[in-house]
Amino acid sequence: MKKLFAILLALAMVLSLAACGGNDSGNSGDSGNAGGDSQQQEPAATPADEGEDQGGEAADIRVAMITDYGDITDQSFNQTTYEACKAWCEANGVEFNYFKPAGDSTAERVAMVEKAADEDYNVIVMPGFAFGETITQVADVYPDISFIALDVSEGDVGGTVPENVYCAVYKEELCGYMAGVAAVKLGYTHLGYLGGMAVPAVQRFGYGFVQGVDAAAGELGVDATVEYVYGNQFFGDPDITAYADNWYQNLGVQAVFACGGGIFTSAGEAAAKVPGTKVIGVDVDQSFTMDAAYGEGVTLTSAMKGLAATVNHMLDEVAAGNFANYGGKAEALGLVSGDDPSANYVLLPMDTTLWGDGFSQDDYKALVKDMFDGKITVSDDISAMPAVSNITVNDLGNIK
């Protein structure tokens, strides 16, 4: 009996020790559960994670573009901006969308900003001076959104650029001047300027063009004439096409600088009816569009702005967390290189301009260098038509 009792006592002690061991294992298990909970929390930041936590990282931004009164198929300002934003976002894994206002008013543009903000877009790109009043209404309401405004001046936003807004304008008079020089030196001495609306950017293009024509005519000792008019709208229509028809068919105009959104369609349609006549594009290289629509070789050249370059640079800077270096500023972008014309924010297309003996790529490079070095100066004054010495300018006001 005693022996049985001893055996039972020993067995009880073993079971007791096993139970204690089980409790230790359970405690370890509880620690393991606590460890499991900690794994569900945010991990401690590594240097890479710290970089990602900075608001400027590409992964943290969502880019929206809002069109002005045009759309993303205008083959000009809106389309170029849209395509640049889209390409950058695709290359950097950033979400992108564009918003088109229902109409041409500040209220409708503001509504698109509100919609983009509601959908958590924190970088908004806005092309065109029409966004000036929009910015004054939304910048303070959305201080955490970075606004990139192209062709919007300090004056357009009331004289002071908000800290969350960057405005870029372009020295259109410079590439307008280049186009004027190119046209005359390539043999076109009866020219037309068909502007959209008489807003500052369009005026700078036109007045620079006149100055370039005047300079080249004086240098060559030839007579030249510029027919100068605004359509008072940024699209072509039958009335404007008829006006351009008269230029080409009856007045003997050889080339028209069509400057203002889709107004180039009227110039192109009219040029297509008169073999050998040309159109000068604007904002972007429009040769691909116009040559396809109106005949191979109809595009003499294009007076371009570096819209895509501006978009790429600014989105790079936002992604790097450097927007504070630009916010609150308005910059006028022009020539940044005298040796590489393609590096500039105002330029002619090297590949598609119809170069000739009178004006070659080397001549263009020499012109740009002289402009960059200050040997050639171009006025940006738009208070009145530039004074000319060597040409006739017929200032015709508005078609409509």
Side-chain angles (χ1 to χ4, degrees):
M1 184 71 180
K2 290 182 180 180
K3 183 176 181 180
L4 178 59
F5 178 80
I7 292 172
L8 292 173
L9 181 60
L11 181 59
M13 293 176 64
V14 169
L15 292 173
S16 176
L17 288 172
C20 291
N23 287 339
D24 288 342
S25 177
N27 289 337
S28 297
D30 290 342
S31 297
N33 289 335
D37 291 340
S38 69
Q39 289 172 3
Q40 294 170 14
Q41 298 170 1
E42 291 296 323
T46 64
D49 292 327
E50 289 173 358
E52 290 174 1
D53 286 341
Q54 294 174 2
E57 284 294 324
D60 295 332
I61 66 175
R62 289 162 52 87
V63 178
M65 176 226 167
I66 301 173
T67 63
D68 58 5
Y69 32 73
D71 59 38
I72 62 169
T73 60
D74 66 1
Q75 299 168 342
S76 186
F77 211 83
N78 285 285
Q79 183 169 347
T80 300
T81 305
Y82 166 78
E83 289 175 351
C85 289
K86 184 173 183 287
W88 187 94
C89 290
E90 288 177 349
N92 290 275
V94 170
E95 186 166 349
F96 169 71
N97 200 359
Y98 84 97
F99 299 82
K100 181 180 178 179
D104 180 19
S105 72
T106 293
E108 286 159 318
R109 283 184 276 272
V110 168
M112 291 300 97
V113 173
E114 293 171 345
K115 182 174 175 59
D118 288 344
E119 295 181 19
D120 296 326
Y121 288 94
N122 54 8
V123 179
I124 297 180
V125 181
M126 301 178 292
F129 73 95
F131 282 99
E133 181 62 28
T134 301
I135 288 170
T136 65
Q137 294 188 25
V138 302
D140 290 343
V141 178
Y142 301 106
D144 295 330
I145 293 179
S146 298
F147 293 96
I148 300 171
L150 307 179
D151 245 15
V152 179
S153 70
E154 195 169 20
D156 291 331
V157 295
T160 301
V161 181
E163 288 301 313
N164 58 331
V165 177
Y166 169 73
C167 293
V169 294
Y170 298 87
K171 296 185 177 181
E172 294 93 353
E173 70 277 4
L174 300 183
C175 52
Y177 182 95
M178 297 171 193
V181 169
V184 172
K185 290 194 171 184
L186 289 169
Y188 301 89
T189 54
H190 195 172
L191 300 162
Y193 180 77
L194 176 59
M197 298 178 72
V199 297
V202 176
Q203 290 177 295
R204 286 193 293 268
F205 269 125
Y207 290 176
F209 182 69
V210 167
Q211 291 175 73
V213 172
D214 187 52
E219 181 183 339
L220 297 179
V222 300
D223 294 327
T225 300
V226 177
E227 313 291 346
Y228 194 104
V229 76
Y230 297 102
N232 205 29
Q233 61 189 41
F234 286 110
F235 55 91
D237 68 11
D239 293 335
I240 295 175
T241 300
Y243 199 96
D245 282 337
N246 183 55
W247 275 4
Y248 284 118
Q249 296 177 24
N250 300 321
L251 298 185
V253 170
Q254 300 161 300
V256 173
F257 183 11
C259 178
I263 205 166
F264 75 88
T265 59
S266 284
E269 289 170 9
K273 301 168 189 172
V274 183
T277 58
K278 304 295 181 185
V279 181
I280 297 170
V282 75
D283 289 336
V284 298
D285 184 353
Q286 291 190 310
S287 64
F288 305 102
T289 299
M290 291 200 291
D291 283 15
Y294 309 116
E296 188 68 26
V298 73
T299 312
L300 182 61
T301 189
S302 297
M304 304 192 304
K305 300 178 183 179
L307 298 171
T310 309
V311 168
N312 291 334
H313 174 70
M314 287 307 302
L315 292 181
D316 281 343
E317 290 296 282
V318 173
N322 296 330
F323 184 79
N325 296 334
Y326 299 87
K329 296 180 180 178
E331 292 185 322
L333 306 178
L335 300 178
V336 295
S337 174
D339 300 317
D340 180 10
S342 66
N344 293 317
Y345 286 97
V346 287
L347 63 163
L348 303 182
M350 192 67 77
D351 294 334
T352 59
T353 296
L354 300 182
W355 310 109
D357 292 338
F359 193 66
S360 66
Q361 288 187 355
D362 287 340
D363 294 327
Y364 169 57
K365 291 176 182 177
L367 173 66
V368 171
K369 182 166 178 55
D370 284 348
M371 294 172 71
F372 181 79
D373 290 343
K375 295 179 182 178
I376 295 174
T377 58
V378 183
S379 173
D380 63 357
D381 181 13
I382 57 173
S383 62
M385 179 69 69
V388 295
S389 304
N390 309 297
I391 65 172
T392 299
V393 179
N394 296 318
D395 190 353
L396 304 167
N398 292 322
I399 296 174
K400 295 187 170 187

